[in-house]
PDB file of all heavy atoms in Angstrom:
ATOM      1  N   GLU A 132      14.593   9.431 -12.653  1.00 96.00           N
ATOM      2  CA  GLU A 132      15.960   9.146 -13.084  1.00 96.00           C
ATOM      3  C   GLU A 132      17.013   9.839 -12.226  1.00 96.00           C
ATOM      4  O   GLU A 132      18.212   9.615 -12.430  1.00 96.00           O
ATOM      5  CB  GLU A 132      16.137   9.548 -14.546  1.00 96.00           C
ATOM      6  CG  GLU A 132      15.250   8.744 -15.500  1.00 96.00           C
ATOM      7  CD  GLU A 132      15.441   9.152 -16.949  1.00 96.00           C
ATOM      8  OE1 GLU A 132      16.162  10.149 -17.188  1.00 96.00           O
ATOM      9  OE2 GLU A 132      14.877   8.478 -17.835  1.00 96.00           O
ATOM     10  N   ARG A 133      16.608  10.690 -11.302  1.00 97.00           N
ATOM     11  CA  ARG A 133      17.573  11.399 -10.461  1.00 97.00           C
ATOM     12  C   ARG A 133      18.218  10.443  -9.462  1.00 97.00           C
ATOM     13  O   ARG A 133      17.729   9.338  -9.198  1.00 97.00           O
ATOM     14  CB  ARG A 133      16.891  12.541  -9.721  1.00 97.00           C
ATOM     15  CG  ARG A 133      16.198  13.548 -10.625  1.00 97.00           C
ATOM     16  CD  ARG A 133      17.168  14.247 -11.569  1.00 97.00           C
ATOM     17  NE  ARG A 133      16.498  15.229 -12.412  1.00 97.00           N
ATOM     18  CZ  ARG A 133      16.566  16.539 -12.232  1.00 97.00           C
ATOM     19  NH1 ARG A 133      17.300  17.041 -11.237  1.00 97.00           N
ATOM     20  NH2 ARG A 133      15.928  17.361 -13.036  1.00 97.00           N
ATOM     21  N   ASP A 134      19.309  10.884  -8.843  1.00 97.00           N
ATOM     22  CA  ASP A 134      20.027  10.045  -7.881  1.00 97.00           C
ATOM     23  C   ASP A 134      19.513  10.191  -6.459  1.00 97.00           C
ATOM     24  O   ASP A 134      19.621   9.263  -5.656  1.00 97.00           O
ATOM     25  CB  ASP A 134      21.524  10.378  -7.914  1.00 97.00           C
ATOM     26  CG  ASP A 134      22.177   9.934  -9.214  1.00 97.00           C
ATOM     27  OD1 ASP A 134      21.709   8.931  -9.795  1.00 97.00           O
ATOM     28  OD2 ASP A 134      23.144  10.582  -9.648  1.00 97.00           O
ATOM     29  N   THR A 135      18.995  11.365  -6.121  1.00 98.00           N
ATOM     30  CA  THR A 135      18.427  11.587  -4.789  1.00 98.00           C
ATOM     31  C   THR A 135      16.996  12.068  -4.968  1.00 98.00           C
ATOM     32  O   THR A 135      16.756  13.145  -5.517  1.00 98.00           O
ATOM     33  CB  THR A 135      19.241  12.627  -3.998  1.00 98.00           C
ATOM     34  OG1 THR A 135      19.397  13.812  -4.777  1.00 98.00           O
ATOM     35  CG2 THR A 135      20.619  12.072  -3.640  1.00 98.00           C
ATOM     36  N   ILE A 136      16.049  11.259  -4.532  1.00 98.00           N
ATOM     37  CA  ILE A 136      14.640  11.460  -4.876  1.00 98.00           C
ATOM     38  C   ILE A 136      13.807  11.625  -3.609  1.00 98.00           C
ATOM     39  O   ILE A 136      13.796  10.742  -2.728  1.00 98.00           O
ATOM     40  CB  ILE A 136      14.115  10.256  -5.683  1.00 98.00           C
ATOM     41  CG1 ILE A 136      15.055   9.948  -6.851  1.00 98.00           C
ATOM     42  CG2 ILE A 136      12.696  10.517  -6.167  1.00 98.00           C
ATOM     43  CD1 ILE A 136      15.111   8.494  -7.212  1.00 98.00           C
ATOM     44  N   PHE A 137      13.127  12.752  -3.520  1.00 98.00           N
ATOM     45  CA  PHE A 137      12.204  13.000  -2.418  1.00 98.00           C
ATOM     46  C   PHE A 137      10.792  12.830  -2.966  1.00 98.00           C
ATOM     47  O   PHE A 137      10.318  13.643  -3.747  1.00 98.00           O
ATOM     48  CB  PHE A 137      12.393  14.401  -1.836  1.00 98.00           C
ATOM     49  CG  PHE A 137      11.518  14.674  -0.646  1.00 98.00           C
ATOM     50  CD1 PHE A 137      11.860  14.178   0.600  1.00 98.00           C
ATOM     51  CD2 PHE A 137      10.351  15.414  -0.777  1.00 98.00           C
ATOM     52  CE1 PHE A 137      11.046  14.409   1.697  1.00 98.00           C
ATOM     53  CE2 PHE A 137       9.530  15.650   0.317  1.00 98.00           C
ATOM     54  CZ  PHE A 137       9.883  15.150   1.561  1.00 98.00           C
ATOM     55  N   VAL A 138      10.146  11.741  -2.572  1.00 98.00           N
ATOM     56  CA  VAL A 138       8.816  11.425  -3.080  1.00 98.00           C
ATOM     57  C   VAL A 138       7.767  12.042  -2.160  1.00 98.00           C
ATOM     58  O   VAL A 138       7.843  11.905  -0.932  1.00 98.00           O
ATOM     59  CB  VAL A 138       8.610   9.901  -3.151  1.00 98.00           C
ATOM     60  CG1 VAL A 138       7.244   9.577  -3.725  1.00 98.00           C
ATOM     61  CG2 VAL A 138       9.685   9.260  -4.001  1.00 98.00           C
ATOM     62  N   ALA A 139       6.797  12.711  -2.755  1.00 98.00           N
ATOM     63  CA  ALA A 139       5.716  13.308  -1.970  1.00 98.00           C
ATOM     64  C   ALA A 139       4.412  13.143  -2.750  1.00 98.00           C
ATOM     65  O   ALA A 139       4.277  13.665  -3.855  1.00 98.00           O
ATOM     66  CB  ALA A 139       5.991  14.789  -1.700  1.00 98.00           C
ATOM     67  N   ALA A 140       3.487  12.384  -2.181  1.00 96.00           N
ATOM     68  CA  ALA A 140       2.223  12.089  -2.849  1.00 96.00           C
ATOM     69  C   ALA A 140       1.060  12.686  -2.072  1.00 96.00           C
ATOM     70  O   ALA A 140       1.088  12.739  -0.833  1.00 96.00           O
ATOM     71  CB  ALA A 140       2.044  10.577  -2.995  1.00 96.00           C
ATOM     72  N   ASP A 141       0.051  13.111  -2.796  1.00 95.00           N
ATOM     73  CA  ASP A 141      -1.154  13.658  -2.165  1.00 95.00           C
ATOM     74  C   ASP A 141      -1.833  12.572  -1.336  1.00 95.00           C
ATOM     75  O   ASP A 141      -2.220  11.526  -1.863  1.00 95.00           O
ATOM     76  CB  ASP A 141      -2.098  14.175  -3.251  1.00 95.00           C
ATOM     77  CG  ASP A 141      -3.375  14.780  -2.689  1.00 95.00           C
ATOM     78  OD1 ASP A 141      -3.439  15.039  -1.471  1.00 95.00           O
ATOM     79  OD2 ASP A 141      -4.316  15.000  -3.484  1.00 95.00           O
ATOM     80  N   ALA A 142      -1.972  12.822  -0.033  1.00 94.00           N
ATOM     81  CA  ALA A 142      -2.621  11.859   0.865  1.00 94.00           C
ATOM     82  C   ALA A 142      -4.073  12.227   1.125  1.00 94.00           C
ATOM     83  O   ALA A 142      -4.731  11.579   1.935  1.00 94.00           O
ATOM     84  CB  ALA A 142      -1.856  11.779   2.189  1.00 94.00           C
ATOM     85  N   ARG A 143      -4.568  13.270   0.445  1.00 90.00           N
ATOM     86  CA  ARG A 143      -5.897  13.819   0.698  1.00 90.00           C
ATOM     87  C   ARG A 143      -5.957  14.353   2.139  1.00 90.00           C
ATOM     88  O   ARG A 143      -4.966  14.361   2.845  1.00 90.00           O
ATOM     89  CB  ARG A 143      -6.993  12.782   0.422  1.00 90.00           C
ATOM     90  CG  ARG A 143      -6.952  12.203  -1.004  1.00 90.00           C
ATOM     91  CD  ARG A 143      -7.226  13.279  -2.048  1.00 90.00           C
ATOM     92  NE  ARG A 143      -7.108  12.785  -3.407  1.00 90.00           N
ATOM     93  CZ  ARG A 143      -8.130  12.284  -4.107  1.00 90.00           C
ATOM     94  NH1 ARG A 143      -9.303  12.157  -3.544  1.00 90.00           N
ATOM     95  NH2 ARG A 143      -7.932  11.910  -5.350  1.00 90.00           N
TER      96      ARG A 143
END
Side-chain angles (χ1 to χ4, degrees):
E132 297 180 353
R133 303 298 181 104
D134 291 330
T135 52
I136 309 148
F137 183 79
V138 182
D141 181 13
R143 304 296 176 91

